[in-house]
Amino acid sequence: AYFSLGPKWLIGLTRRFPAHITKKDVQERVVIETDAPFFGDDVWATAKAVARHIGATEDEVMAWSDANLRRLLNTGK
């Protein structure tokens, strides 16, 4: 439902993410996040799970996530 709200929405992911997420979604709209220190989730474990799901590398997923977060912080949206 969130993805249908429009291209300006960025989605934060932990290791639980929607099965229909695509590589394009990750490249353009996803920020890998963690609930740490409260739950101890590891962003690299999330990146690994997402990468495996979309056929990318963990480094690619983290680079896209970083770029998406920078865009979010720079635009205030």
Side-chain angles (χ1 to χ4, degrees):
Y2 288 115
F3 289 118
S4 68
L5 294 174
K8 294 188 182 206
W9 282 78
L10 291 171
I11 308 301
L13 293 183
T14 60
R15 278 189 256 181
R16 294 182 186 208
F17 56 89
H20 65 277
I21 197 168
T22 67
K23 188 173 187 174
K24 183 177 178 180
D25 292 330
V26 176
Q27 290 171 324
E28 298 176 358
R29 298 168 50 169
V30 165
V31 175
I32 304 296
E33 63 174 325
T34 177
D35 291 325
F38 305 107
F39 299 109
D41 199 13
D42 177 1
V43 293
W44 284 99
T46 301
K48 182 177 183 177
V50 171
R52 192 173 28 231
H53 177 73
I54 64 169
T57 68
E58 296 166 48
D59 289 333
E60 287 174 318
V61 169
M62 288 304 289
W64 296 325
S65 176
D66 290 347
N68 291 335
L69 181 59
R70 280 193 302 277
R71 190 173 73 251
L72 173 69
L73 296 175
N74 287 334
T75 64
K77 297 179 184 175

